[in-house]
Amino acid sequence: MGLAEELEIGRGITAVIGSGGKTSLLDALARELDGTVVLTTTTHVLPFGCPVLTDADERVVEQALWYSRVVCVGTPTGDGSGKLAAPRLKMRTLSVLADYVLVEADGAARHPLKAHASHEPVIPAGADRVVQVVGASGFGQPVAQAVHRPEVFCKLAGCDAADVATPALVARAIAHEHAGGLRADVLLVSQVTPQGEKDVRSFEQALREEGDQTPVVTWPALA
């Protein structure tokens, strides 16, 4: 079974949130999915490794997809970073032009774990599927080191920033976010090594003990 099938990625708009491999996941899904794909964002991302369309209208996107099965659509941030912001076209318009629209809808400043501020994530209206990524490499590290927005995480999990981010603490924080309204249709625990499989089992058990029934899929660490 492929990753897209495990995550139940269907045609339409899929938003990817969380931390610990969102961009790698989007790249992998774009390669795996059978059909045309638009890669885009609601935040700020570096361009993906495919043809990049900036400030594109419908005609430009439609023509580009004739020549390349996968394209990246966004708007230059203009701050010299080389990053792209949200496209000018609406996500639903892009979903008419392409079979799949894959959206990076969250930022984590390269941390494997994160908690969300009140303005995050930026899930596009009408998203058909939301995948939340959790980086297993953060398990066992101090919260202050592994977590983006550790102060929010500590409030959710009832811990201190100096505490270790155990699978149970991460599960508690995520369960509380979900109970508070954060949408996640499936959790993808990424960066999983053979030695870390026990941590994943502990994470899922703790999640269930918190009353959170969100499906969990694992993704091995990339070589």
Side-chain angles (χ1 to χ4, degrees), residues 6-194:
E6 283 195 85
L7 295 173
E8 298 184 17
I9 306 299
R11 292 175 185 262
I13 303 168
T14 296
V16 176
I17 66 172
S19 53
K22 295 187 302 295
T23 302
S24 296
L25 172 61
L26 290 167
D27 279 333
L29 291 175
R31 290 193 301 270
E32 184 180 317
L33 290 167
D34 183 16
T36 54
V37 178
V38 166
L39 290 164
T40 188
T41 185
T42 55
T43 57
H44 288 179
V45 297
L46 289 170
F48 292 88
C50 59
V52 177
L53 311 177
T54 57
D55 296 322
D57 59 19
E58 293 179 50
R59 181 171 174 272
V60 169
V61 174
E62 187 174 29
Q63 288 183 335
L65 287 169
W66 276 101
Y67 295 99
S68 177
R69 189 182 64 82
V70 181
V71 299
C72 174
V73 181
T75 305
T77 59
D79 60 4
S81 67
K83 290 186 175 182
L84 298 175
R88 181 157 56 92
L89 292 172
K90 293 181 179 180
M91 297 294 175
R92 189 51 66 186
T93 300
L94 291 172
S95 74
V96 173
L97 300 171
D99 297 316
Y100 303 92
V101 178
L102 305 180
V103 186
E104 187 161 334
D106 209 353
R110 298 185 179 278
H111 291 81
L113 303 170
K114 82 164 291 182
H116 292 87
S118 58
H119 62 279
E120 299 174 309
V122 188
I123 298 172
D128 300 287
R129 189 79 169 157
V130 178
V131 179
Q132 183 175 1
V133 184
V134 179
S137 65
F139 295 150
Q141 294 187 36
V143 169
Q145 178 180 329
V147 179
H148 184 48
R149 306 201 189 287
E151 70 286 352
V152 180
F153 181 94
C154 289
K155 185 176 294 187
L156 290 164
C159 66
D160 295 321
D163 291 342
V164 170
T166 63
L169 279 184
V170 176
R172 185 184 306 162
I174 288 175
H176 286 185
E177 285 194 319
H178 291 174
L182 177 69
R183 178 184 172 186
D185 298 311
V186 61
L187 282 161
L188 177 68
V189 183
S190 66
Q191 306 170 339
V192 180
T193 64

Side-chain angles (χ1 to χ4, degrees), residues 198-217:
K198 182 179 178 181
D199 284 338
V200 177
R201 291 194 295 271
S202 296
F203 167 78
E204 186 168 7
Q205 180 180 345
L207 198 68
R208 304 298 175 240
E209 291 172 353
E210 294 287 343
D212 193 321
Q213 300 302 316
T214 307
V216 176
V217 173

